[in-house]
Amino acid sequence: MNTALISEIIKDPILFCSRLTIVDKRGRPTKLKLRSEQIQIIQALIAGDDTLILKPRQIGSTTAVAAYFFWKWYTAASPETYVSLSHKLASAKHILAIQQRFFEGLPKVLKRALRVSNTTTLTLADTGATLMAASAEGKGGLRSFTATGLHISEFAFTPHADELKATAISALNGGQLCIESTANFFGDPLHKEIELWEAELVEWNFLFFPWTDHIEYSTDPTDDFECDPDMGLSPGQQFWAARMIGKLGESSFRREYPLSVDDAYAQTSGAWIESDSLKDIQVVKLEAEGGQLSNVDHNDRYAIGVDAGAGTGGDYSALVVVSASTGQPVDIRRSNRMSPTEWAEVVADASAKWKDAKVLVESNGTWGGVIITELKHSGVPLWKDTEGRDWMTNAQSKPMMLECVKDTISRGALSILDSWTIGELRSFKVDDRGNPFCPRGGVHHGDTVIALALALQCLKKVDVPDRPYLPAWIINKRRQEALARGAQKQFRRY
């Protein structure tokens, strides 16, 4: 191999990585023959963006990322550091072992001296560039060094993922981050990142590979296997999927070999609402702050449920307006930056807009009382129980009002919601006592679901008007006509 060709290969990460040595499933050394998915991953990393990957099993995603960062390490002209990070040190060491095998398999002409070579560190003697395996379990974490590139594998299974990611970003100081993982459960750390990306709250180059793109996931069917022509899969893919479902079960198969992001997170043990219960709801894409789903109907009446937050960037304040005639949400609003007083103004405006809608705000908690007081001063009609008291959310009323939401959905009585609220519904789980709750630490805090539950309770005290709505100008005109007719009676002859 001449010098010019070697130089060309070293400059091109695809050519370079495709000549690295790996160990196949039988334990034999072989060259890394890049699959189309692996090439897409490397090309995405070449672009330099932070990359987030949701992968099916065994497409070689981890190997592709490890090969790219190995190339970056090998071609670095200065003491750059590339880190493989996992929640278990053994997993990070496994990735570094793959990279050590890359190095050992290089032709003699490309071999270079190592200053450090052990199970956690590879450092080149000439440039000082380092490959490192690190663990989220380590007490020092990543605070003791700066990384040029960082690879977090199986992020969905990482405990304390938010802290790990924050530490990683701090260590990178503007360097490149790649997170890749299979799905674990709805609302897992990877899923939260995907939802943040979908909400345009973070920047990622997001890659997803459905299992059908992987040519190895196909097996010639037996003669007695019945194919479904409407499934959109080849007979070989259907037979392979059927065999895998037989081994793993449908839920595990969909999680580990998904066709879509929704498929990966379609089922989870302990889910409060099964995803099938939500499939017939029309999902409307709104901004995170919410929006209007319908126009005001002057022949209708409305109820508003309000959940209160502090407005400091944590829990959201949320309101949901529900129609008395249809039972459907017509307006959804949320904010985690407005103070309770500011949010009370939003609620008052919503009540006025939706025909002086009755408002239910839970009175317990730090901020509910503040909002109720402000609404009273504004003359907003408020929900009261039969004894004139405000709503109290407690161990008895919370499961009851949430069960009302679940029952409304199960009966098919709820036909439209925004995607954010759907995400909140799917985030809810059931604890050991059977009570629904929304886990902390995710994108969704369950605030809109609580507001919806309160709105449905408020709706029980709102009546649909029997008389049709007439604009004020028509009413005034009719009054004038009636007065005119009355005034003319004195001039009648009989």
Side-chain angles (χ1 to χ4, degrees):
M1 188 179 295
N2 60 53
T3 304
L5 181 57
I6 291 174
S7 177
E8 181 183 346
I9 291 172
I10 292 175
K11 290 179 181 179
D12 188 324
I14 302 295
L15 293 176
F16 183 88
C17 293
S18 64
R19 285 165 170 78
L20 296 174
T21 300
I22 60 170
V23 174
D24 65 16
K25 295 179 181 179
R26 297 182 180 180
R28 300 175 302 185
T30 185
K31 293 302 178 184
L32 176 58
K33 297 178 182 178
L34 295 173
R35 302 186 179 101
S36 61
E37 301 97 329
Q38 292 174 311
I39 292 174
Q40 289 181 59
I41 290 170
I42 293 174
Q43 288 174 335
L45 292 169
I46 292 170
D49 299 324
D50 290 340
T51 302
L52 185 69
I53 304 169
L54 171 59
K55 61 178 184 178
R57 291 287 181 189
Q58 299 176 344
I59 66 164
S61 172
T62 300
T63 302
V65 178
Y68 171 77
F69 280 126
F70 178 83
W71 171 76
K72 291 286 289 183
W73 167 77
Y74 186 84
T75 58
S78 59
E80 299 175 357
T81 299
Y82 295 91
V83 181
S84 297
L85 179 67
S86 183
H87 68 290
K88 297 283 187 181
L89 183 58
S91 300
K93 284 183 174 180
H94 173 72
I95 296 173
L96 185 63
I98 293 173
Q99 293 170 323
Q100 287 174 320
R101 195 172 298 116
F102 291 160
F103 183 80
E104 292 166 1
L106 291 173
K108 289 184 179 180
V109 68
L110 297 181
K111 285 282 184 69
R112 293 154 64 185
L114 293 171
R115 182 193 305 166
V116 180
S117 178
N118 55 46
T119 58
T120 60
T121 308
L122 280 180
T123 302
L124 289 168
D126 50 2
T127 62
T130 297
L131 289 171
M132 181 180 295
S135 167
E137 298 174 322
K139 293 182 179 179
L142 303 177
R143 301 184 188 278
S144 58
F145 61 87
T146 299
T148 309
L150 199 147
H151 172 202
I152 302 179
S153 181
E154 295 303 342
F155 185 64
F157 301 85
T158 302
H160 311 298
D162 290 341
E163 181 179 350
L164 174 65
K165 180 191 169 189
T167 305
I169 292 173
S170 177
L172 279 168
N173 193 26
Q176 187 174 25
L177 175 62
C178 179
I179 294 178
E180 50 96 17
S181 182
T182 50
N184 188 10
F185 58 86
F186 188 93
D188 67 32
L190 179 70
H191 191 209
K192 292 172 186 175
E193 289 299 320
I194 296 171
E195 289 185 319
L196 286 169
W197 171 77
E198 289 177 335
E200 299 182 353
L201 298 175
V202 295
E203 293 185 3
W204 284 110
N205 183 357
F206 175 60
L207 301 179
F208 170 73
F209 301 99
W211 69 262
T212 48
D213 287 354
H214 194 50
I215 59 174
E216 293 184 10
Y217 292 158
S218 179
T219 304
D220 292 336
T222 56
D223 294 337
D224 58 346
F225 181 74
E226 295 184 4
C227 295
D228 183 352
D230 298 325
M231 190 174 288
L233 303 176
S234 69
Q237 289 175 325
Q238 290 188 43
F239 184 67
W240 178 87
R243 292 180 61 184
M244 293 301 296
I245 290 172
K247 293 178 181 178
L248 301 174
E250 184 176 0
S251 180
S252 294
F253 175 78
R254 292 176 69 181
R255 183 176 65 249
E256 298 196 10
Y257 299 93
L259 284 170
S260 65
V261 174
D262 288 341
D263 204 34
Y265 292 105
Q267 299 292 335
T268 175
S269 58
W272 176 49
I273 292 182
E274 294 293 331
S275 58
D276 285 347
S277 299
L278 305 172
K279 65 182 181 180
D280 294 327
I281 295 178
Q282 178 188 351
V283 181
V284 180
K285 182 72 173 178
L286 299 176
E287 299 294 332
E289 293 77 16
Q292 189 169 323
L293 301 174
S294 178
N295 296 323
V296 177
D297 182 351
H298 291 287
N299 293 323
D300 204 350
R301 291 288 184 269
Y302 300 92
I304 300 178
V306 179
D307 189 39
T312 56
D315 285 351
Y316 281 78
S317 294
L319 71 82
V320 176
V321 185
V322 177
S323 161
S325 61
T326 67
Q328 301 306 312
V330 294
D331 203 350
I332 297 172
R333 305 288 170 172
R334 61 179 73 85
S335 171
N336 64 351
R337 290 297 176 185
M338 288 187 181
S339 69
T341 302
E342 292 172 327
W343 189 245
E345 294 180 10
V346 173
V347 176
D349 290 343
S351 176
K353 174 182 177 179
W354 294 98
K355 294 176 56 45
D356 293 326
K358 189 183 291 292
V359 177
L360 192 161
V361 186
E362 58 180 3
S363 59
N364 51 316
T366 307
W367 311 115
V370 175
I371 293 177
I372 289 173
T373 301
E374 293 293 326
L375 295 179
K376 284 180 180 177
H377 290 162
S378 301
V380 174
L382 295 173
W383 179 97
K384 302 287 182 180
D385 67 10
T386 55
E387 298 181 10
R389 297 173 300 189
D390 296 309
W391 177 274
M392 290 283 291
T393 300
N394 52 40
Q396 289 74 42
S397 62
K398 186 173 183 178
M400 178 272 294
M401 70 183 196
L402 287 174
E403 186 61 30
C404 179
V405 173
K406 184 175 182 179
D407 178 65
T408 302
I409 293 172
S410 300
R411 290 187 289 105
L414 201 62
S415 62
I416 185 170
L417 280 173
D418 68 315
S419 56
W420 185 284
T421 307
I422 290 289
E424 287 191 18
L425 286 167
R426 294 183 65 187
S427 296
F428 270 76
K429 296 181 179 297
V430 179
D431 64 20
D432 295 337
R433 296 183 178 181
N435 294 319
F437 71 100
C438 189
R440 307 298 296 178
V443 176
H444 300 299
H445 301 172
D447 307 300
T448 318
V449 172
I450 297 299
L452 173 61
L454 295 172
L456 292 178
Q457 294 303 310
C458 186
L459 196 61
K460 296 177 181 179
K461 293 200 171 189
V462 177
D463 297 325
V464 180
D466 296 327
R467 299 177 62 185
Y469 167 79
L470 292 176
W473 69 271
I474 292 182
I475 294 174
N476 291 332
K477 182 178 179 181
R478 289 187 177 182
R479 284 175 179 170
Q480 293 298 325
E481 291 174 346
L483 289 171
R485 288 194 300 270
Q488 293 170 2
K489 285 184 179 180
Q490 59 180 310
F491 299 110
R492 293 177 183 172
R493 298 178 63 184
Y494 53 87

